């Protein structure tokens, strides 16, 4: 199958405007005839459902939480990028575009990235109009701060609660449409499969998480905005409920999965404290604006109280290695350097599993320069969170941080219109692969989610619907009944295994394997070993799993079992993609392909493409397709932040 990006031609700054004009429109009176399904109601899904409802379409919105307000978008802390240039420090739409392409190590589609930078300026106006309480300067103008991978201040923020405030804005817009009757909300409802009729997405099959009822919902178009798959590592900064099931079920029905090996490890997480920990907590990248990262110069000082280590014996290694960007290097680089320091025996904090896995993030100088009050105004809630978890105050002691799984740049393949390889199936936000290449810059996730939801999908979905007749499939269609039966059979199978191990025990073992062999760094030997062990562990899962309770009730163990089953298949594809991509780029770091300085070494001759995988029926034998990437405006070069 040929992958067609369907991106417009011409000057890049005019492509989106020209494309919007060329797209077909649906008459306002006709929009009421169409049914749209939106799965996931975080920033991308909530914004899209609200926007499509406002346009007059009938929308069914689904989320597995009890309210859209609990979507994981709420956890984003540091901010949202936009090329407003309020600081008059040299920013522009083109610079944001350039920083994003370079930050993604030249592995993203230029047209999509430029559109993202272009609409970023509209997002801030939209959110201010909704009442989002962005931080402001004394004059009343919106404040900005810096994030990794940029030398300008373009990140808008609401203390360390930016995701929460933006989600509440989208939630209010969504609730307005629910009240107007254009959107029907289905909370506590999980998508378990995609309905495809004659090659076209026509609906979904869900399970009511309270009653256990399995039900089909048909529509003229389906939109997935279900987030990423970072929980494949078990320990991650994601909420425990985050999973890959919706995307993976679509993948098994024909949607290509692109670049699964592009996973992001965030450098500023609270380190693991014990063997039975169930998740990790993120400390916002915004802290790297004023915090300085360091480790002791001498190994014998690593167990000391940091207050006892003089300035002359501190190694501010990011500032030393990358003088131009310092502590604001991109996440992939900061993460690898922290790992390297700890691997060399220079880690700090308590010994866990025989090693100290932490580096310091120190605010001593910032407090002396700005004062306690100013630092508290910027980061107070983050400092409070850290102190509640660790028992140490960042005002008096340096934070201890270490990299952890956070975000996934890979996802379902989409074209310029955000439509997958299944006609009628659109994918927005983190669930698609489109904008970040091999590494996402900080504060760009919220930007992409709202750009897709408010400013891209309302146009491209309408363009698709203008070319199809409404109501083509009924709920009693044979294919609809077949998919429902398959879902019910899968649920019954999970319940009937009757083994000895919980879903969590399998997930923890799988996650540790993937973290060790396909985490911050990968080798051919480790990946090959993982590809041998994953099928063996998956076989154990299907023979020794124990799911307590029944299917016609609230059963969180059953929910987790289904999600872990999909993580097993995804994990194998992730490792296979990493083994196939014989280069290092962004968050994908193959130790065999590195410069003498330990930086990522790309191979543009052989791997300047998107790797899009097709389900073949056998998780060990997927089919690989490639979309070649071309660069007219940002020429690939050695990625340097020194």
């Amino acid at each position: 199958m040929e992958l067609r990006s369907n991106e417009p031609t011409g000057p890049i700054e005019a492509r989106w405007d020209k494309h919007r004009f060329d797209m077909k429109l649906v008459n306002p009176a006709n929009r009421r005839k169409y049914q749209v399904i939106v799965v996931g109601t975080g920033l991308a899904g909530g914004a899209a459902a609200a926007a499509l409802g406002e346009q007059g379409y009938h929308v069914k919105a689904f989320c597995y939480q009890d309210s859209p307000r609990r979507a994981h978008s709420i956890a984003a802390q540091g901010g949202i990028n936009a090329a407003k240039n309020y600081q008059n420090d040299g920013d522009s739409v083109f610079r944001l575009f350039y920083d994003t392409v370079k930050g993604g190590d030249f592995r993203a589609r230029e047209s999509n990235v430029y559109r993202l930078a272009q609409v970023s300026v509209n997002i801030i106006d939209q959110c201010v109009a909704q009442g989002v309480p962005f931080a402001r300067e004394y004059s009343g103008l919106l404040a900005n701060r810096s994030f990794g991978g940029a030398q300008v201040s373009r990140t808008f923020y609401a203390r360390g609660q930016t995701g929460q405030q933006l989600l509440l804005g989208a939630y209010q817009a969504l609730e307005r449409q629910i009240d107007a009757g254009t959107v029907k909300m289905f909370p506590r409802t999980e998508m378990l499969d995609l309905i495809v009729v004659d090659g076209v997405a026509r609906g979904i099959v869900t399970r009511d998480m309270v009653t256990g009822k399995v039900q089909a919902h048909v529509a003229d178009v389906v939109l997935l905005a279900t987030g990423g798959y970072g929980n494949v590592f078990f320990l991650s900064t994601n909420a425990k409920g985050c999973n890959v099931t919706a995307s993976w079920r679509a993948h098994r029905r024909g949607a290509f999965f692109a670049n699964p090996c592009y996973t992001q490890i965030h450098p500023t997480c609270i380190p693991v404290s014990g063997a039975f920990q169930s998740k990790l907590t993120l400390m916002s990248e915004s802290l790297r604006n004023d915090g300085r990262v360091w480790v002791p110069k001498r190994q014998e000082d690593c167990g000391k109280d940091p207050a006892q280590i003089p300035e002359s014996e501190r190694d501010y290694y990011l500032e030393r290695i990358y003088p131009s960007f310092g502590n604001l290097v991109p996440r992939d680089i900061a993460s690898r350097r922290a790992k390297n320091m700890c691997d060399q025996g220079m880690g700090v904090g308590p010994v866990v599993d025989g090693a100290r896995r932490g580096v310091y993030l120190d605010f001593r100088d910032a407090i002396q320069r700005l004062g306690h009050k100013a630092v508290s105004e910027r980061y107070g809630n983050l400092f409070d969170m850290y102190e509640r978890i660790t028992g140490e105050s960042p005002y008096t002691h340096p934070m201890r941080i270490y990299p952890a799984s956070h975000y996934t740049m890979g996802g379902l393949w989409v074209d310029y219109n955000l439509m997958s390889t299944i006609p009628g199936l659109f994918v927005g936000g983190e669930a698609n692969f489109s904008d970040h290449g091999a590494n996402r810059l900080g504060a760009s996730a919220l930007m992409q989610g709202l750009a897709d939801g408010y400013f891209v999908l309302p146009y491209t979905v309408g363009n698709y619907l203008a070319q199809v007749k409404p109501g083509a499939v009924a709920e009693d269609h044979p294919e609809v009944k077949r998919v429902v039966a398959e879902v019910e059979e899968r649920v019954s199978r999970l319940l009937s295994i009757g083994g000895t191990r919980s879903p969590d025990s399998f997930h923890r073992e799988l996650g540790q394997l993937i973290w060790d062999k396909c985490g911050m760094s990968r080798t051919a030997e480790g990946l090959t070993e993982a590809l041998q062990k994953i099928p063996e562990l998956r076989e154990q899962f299907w023979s020794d799993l124990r799911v307590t309770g029944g299917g016609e009730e609230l059963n969180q163990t059953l929910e987790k079992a289904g999600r872990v089953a999909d993580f097993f298949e995804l994990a194998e594809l992730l490792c296979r993609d990493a083994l196939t991509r014989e280069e290092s780029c962004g968050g994908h770091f193959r130790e065999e392909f590195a410069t003498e300085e330990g930086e990522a070494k790309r191979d543009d001759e052989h791997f300047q493409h998107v790797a899009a995988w097709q389900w073949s029926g056998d998780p060990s034998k997927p089919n690989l397709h490639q979309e070649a990437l071309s660069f007219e405006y940002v020429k690939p070069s050695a990625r340097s932040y020194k």
Side-chain angles (χ1 to χ4, degrees), residues 416-490:
Y416 187 74
N417 293 320
L418 304 187
M419 188 162 73
S420 72
T421 50
I422 301 176
L425 177 66
F426 290 78
V427 190
E430 190 180 356
N432 74 35
F433 88 102
S434 65
D435 293 353
H436 306 298
N439 174 63
R440 176 176 68 79
L441 294 183
S444 287
L446 303 182
M447 176 175 64
Q448 186 208 355
L450 291 179
D452 288 354
Y454 282 135
F455 298 105
V456 178
L457 287 164
Y459 286 95
T460 60
V461 169
N463 175 63
Y464 172 79
L465 291 175
Q467 302 172 69
V468 300
K469 293 182 178 180
V473 174
E475 290 189 3
D476 61 354
H477 189 283
E479 185 64 20
V480 175
K481 291 183 176 180
R482 186 178 73 84
V483 178
V484 170
E486 288 181 1
V487 169
E488 291 174 337
E489 190 277 332
R490 179 178 171 86

Side-chain angles (χ1 to χ4, degrees), residues 4 8 36 39 45 139 142 164 242 247 292-293 295 298 305 323 394 419 424 430 436 453 508 541 554 562 618:
R4 296 183 179 179
V36 178
V39 186
S139 64
L142 296 181
Q164 179 183 21
C242 294
S247 293
R292 300 180 70 191
V293 178
V295 294
R298 301 187 306 170
D305 182 336
M419 188 162 73
E430 190 180 356
H436 306 298
R508 187 184 292 273
F541 173 87
L554 176 64
D618 182 347

Side-chain angles (χ1 to χ4, degrees), residues 334-554:
S335 294
R336 282 197 295 273
R337 286 299 177 184
K339 179 181 184 296
N340 290 344
M341 289 297 164
C342 294
D343 288 346
Q344 295 169 23
M346 306 309 297
V348 300
V351 176
V352 178
D353 293 333
R356 301 183 193 274
R357 292 290 171 183
V359 299
Y360 288 127
L361 182 60
D362 198 337
F363 290 85
R364 182 195 62 180
D365 293 349
I367 292 172
Q368 291 176 353
R369 184 179 74 253
L370 302 171
H372 185 287
K373 181 180 179 182
V375 172
S376 176
E377 287 175 349
R378 294 181 184 182
Y379 311 115
N381 65 305
L382 297 171
F383 281 22
D384 292 344
M385 184 192 308
Y386 181 87
E387 185 172 7
R388 284 196 299 271
I389 293 171
T390 67
E392 297 178 353
S393 171
Y395 295 108
T396 57
H397 294 78
M399 284 185 177
R400 285 179 291 106
I401 58 170
Y402 191 72
S405 167
H406 175 62
Y407 187 89
T408 54
M409 287 74 66
L412 293 182
W413 184 91
V414 292
D415 65 5
Y416 187 74
N417 293 320
L418 304 187
M419 188 162 73
S420 72
T421 50
I422 301 176
L425 177 66
F426 290 78
V427 190
E430 190 180 356
N432 74 35
F433 88 102
S434 65
D435 293 353
H436 306 298
N439 174 63
R440 176 176 68 79
L441 294 183
S444 287
L446 303 182
M447 176 175 64
Q448 186 208 355
L450 291 179
D452 288 354
Y454 282 135
F455 298 105
V456 178
L457 287 164
Y459 286 95
T460 60
V461 169
N463 175 63
Y464 172 79
L465 291 175
Q467 302 172 69
V468 300
K469 293 182 178 180
V473 174
E475 290 189 3
D476 61 354
H477 189 283
E479 185 64 20
V480 175
K481 291 183 176 180
R482 186 178 73 84
V483 178
V484 170
E486 288 181 1
V487 169
E488 291 174 337
E489 190 277 332
R490 179 178 171 86
V491 170
S492 298
R493 184 183 177 193
L494 290 168
L495 289 166
S496 65
I497 296 172
T500 63
R501 295 183 58 180
S502 69
D504 255 1
S505 73
F506 280 107
H507 191 186
R508 187 184 292 273
E509 186 174 350
L510 173 68
Q512 189 64 56
L513 175 63
I514 301 302
W515 177 252
D516 290 342
K517 307 302 180 183
C518 197
M520 265 189 285
S521 62
R522 298 101 187 251
T523 65
E525 181 182 3
L527 292 167
T528 301
E529 182 182 345
L531 287 169
Q532 292 172 346
K533 290 184 176 180
I534 292 170
E536 296 172 0
L537 189 58
R538 183 171 63 237
E539 187 176 341
Q540 292 179 33
F541 173 87
W542 284 107
S543 63
D544 197 26
L545 174 72
R546 182 174 180 81
V547 177
T548 55
E552 297 180 355
E553 59 185 347
L554 176 64

